[in-house]
Amino acid sequence: MEKTRNEDLGRLSIEEFKQAEKLPFCVVLDDIRSLHNIGSVFRTADAFRVEHLYLCGITARPPHREIQKTALGATESIDWSYFPSCSDCILNLKQKGYLICALEQALESISLSEFQPPKGAKIALILGNEVEGVNTEVMNLCDYALEIPQYGTKHSLNVSVSGGIGIWEIWKKINTNFN
């Protein structure tokens, strides 16, 4: 089997990406420490045409060499904003009509695979700190806690891995125009 060549992938230019239709879906990074994790989420957000990435609290912002190392240019294609407070970001998104979903282990969580957003819903997916997870104050503002079932001894995934799973699962549920 032959791999697809880069020139045959049909990649959009940054200008084409900026103009392309996006899903009503944004990702919020709540106090992410690792610059590589931040870059990885930028790259995943680009892959699924996420409309906006919100960087909150201690989450570093581009331009930064270590973010760029994993983002591979996605900091140029993905629209992003910074909020000193994740709670303020969430309140802002609620005012804009977003359904707020934390990707977090919680007593009231539902399995990510079983989550069915209302048709036409705008979704904000929150990814939390690598050690503490999503801040408790932020959890209290959420409409849903979505959990990735895990069956090993750790019950913990790297935030960029869980973000990739979460973004893909939400994309599959709300995507109606991309193939």
Side-chain angles (χ1 to χ4, degrees), residues 23 25 48 113 116-117 165-176:
L23 292 176
F25 179 28
F48 295 102
S113 63
Q116 290 301 320
I165 294 168
I167 291 168
W168 167 243
E169 284 293 325
I170 299 291
W171 185 87
K172 289 191 308 185
K173 293 170 189 306
I174 66 174
N175 167 39
T176 57

Side-chain angles (χ1 to χ4, degrees), residues 26 28 54 83 86-101 122-124 126 137-144:
C26 65
V28 179
Y54 293 91
F83 278 79
C86 191
S87 295
D88 288 346
C89 177
I90 298 308
L91 291 171
N92 179 276
L93 289 168
K94 279 184 168 276
Q95 287 179 344
K96 294 178 180 177
Y98 281 83
L99 193 64
I100 310 299
C101 302
K122 299 189 299 187
I123 307 287
I126 306 169
E137 181 181 327
V138 172
M139 287 294 291
N140 290 329
L141 297 172
C142 291
D143 299 303
Y144 293 94

Side-chain angles (χ1 to χ4, degrees), residues 7-54:
E7 54 271 11
D8 295 331
L9 290 174
R11 292 182 180 170
L12 300 176
S13 69
I14 290 175
E15 295 78 26
E16 290 169 328
F17 184 92
K18 293 281 190 187
Q19 298 300 315
E21 182 180 1
K22 312 290 187 305
L23 292 176
F25 179 28
C26 65
V27 176
V28 179
L29 300 184
D30 179 20
D31 286 336
I32 303 299
R33 299 176 314 164
S34 165
L35 300 170
H36 293 154
N37 285 337
I38 297 163
S40 180
V41 173
F42 263 100
R43 193 162 153 195
T44 303
D46 175 281
F48 295 102
R49 287 197 205 169
V50 166
E51 71 179 350
H52 205 93
L53 187 58
Y54 293 91

Side-chain angles (χ1 to χ4, degrees), residues 30-33 58 104 127-135 159:
D30 179 20
D31 286 336
I32 303 299
R33 299 176 314 164
I58 67 167
E104 184 61 85
L127 306 176
N129 176 273
E130 293 91 337
V131 175
E132 302 296 325
V134 177
N135 180 298
V159 68

Side-chain angles (χ1 to χ4, degrees), residues 103 112 125 127-128 148 150 157-168:
L103 191 58
L112 178 61
L125 183 66
L127 306 176
I148 300 169
Q150 299 171 51
L157 294 169
N158 178 280
V159 68
S160 66
V161 172
S162 61
I165 294 168
I167 291 168
W168 167 243

